Amino acid sequence: MTFIALVFVAVTSLFVLAPIAMGVTAVNRVRWRTRAQRHGVRTEGRCIRVDTVRRSGGGRPSSLRRHYLFEFVTQDGRQVRFEDAAPDTTIPGDLFTVSYLPERPDKATVALPGDRRAQRELGCLLVFLAFFLTTSLVIAGVGIGVLSLFAGGS
C-alpha cells in the first residue's frame, strides 16, 4: 500500500508541477519579447527562408504550419539569424523591422505594428494551464482521500 501511495504522490506531483513550469516558461518568453519590442534596438531584417510543415494523424484533418527564418545585422556588425512568426503572406526576401536587445540578439523578434500575438498566446496558455492545474489538484485530493480510506481500514 505504501508503494502505491508513493507512486500516486510522484505522478500527482508531476501533473501539478508541469503546468506551473510551462506557465513560467511562457511568461518569461512573452516578457522577453515585449521587452525587446519596447526597449530594443530596431533595424531592418530580411526573411531568408520559409519552411512549411504538414501535420496529420490521429484522425484529424491535416494542417500546415510555417516556420520563418530571419536574418539581420547588429549595430556592431554581427550577422544574426533567428526564427519568429510572420504573416502568412511572407516570402523569402521580404523586409521587416527587427527588434532585439543588444545582450541577446539571437532572441530578436519581428516588430509588427500593433502585434499582440504573444500576449494572446500567453492568455490562452495560462487559462489552459489553470484548468489543468485545478483538475490535477482535484484529482490529487480525491486520490489522497481514497488512499487514506484504505490506509485507515488496514
Side-chain angles (χ1 to χ4, degrees):
M1 186 63 182
T2 304
F3 176 73
I4 293 172
L6 288 174
V7 169
F8 178 78
V9 167
V11 170
T12 303
S13 296
L14 288 176
F15 277 102
V16 170
L17 294 177
I20 292 171
M22 288 173 65
V24 168
T25 301
V27 167
N28 285 338
R29 187 176 64 237
V30 170
R31 286 180 63 211
W32 186 270
R33 181 183 190 89
T34 303
R35 192 169 149 233
Q37 287 192 2
R38 287 185 182 159
H39 308 292
V41 176
R42 291 186 182 249
T43 189
E44 186 176 83
R46 178 181 307 276
C47 175
I48 59 170
R49 191 172 75 222
V50 179
D51 294 326
T52 303
V53 178
R54 181 177 298 278
R55 292 184 171 182
S56 61
R60 288 182 258 148
S62 65
S63 64
L64 295 177
R65 180 169 175 109
R66 290 183 176 87
H67 298 274
Y68 301 93
L69 184 65
F70 296 93
E71 183 176 72
F72 70 98
V73 178
T74 63
Q75 286 179 327
D76 59 2
R78 288 184 289 159
Q79 190 171 359
V80 178
R81 291 183 174 186
F82 69 99
E83 288 187 18
D84 199 7
D88 288 341
T89 56
T90 301
I91 59 172
D94 285 353
L95 299 176
F96 288 91
T97 300
V98 173
S99 185
Y100 70 95
L101 296 172
E103 65 268 19
R104 289 298 306 266
D106 58 310
K107 288 191 169 193
T109 181
V110 174
L112 299 172
D115 184 16
R116 312 260 327 145
R117 181 182 60 247
Q119 288 82 1
R120 284 193 309 272
E121 288 175 2
L122 177 64
C124 291
L125 179 65
L126 291 179
V127 167
F128 168 76
L129 293 176
F131 173 77
F132 187 79
L133 181 61
T134 302
T135 303
S136 297
L137 290 172
V138 168
I139 291 170
V142 169
I144 290 170
V146 169
L147 286 173
S148 65
L149 283 176
F150 283 117
S154 302

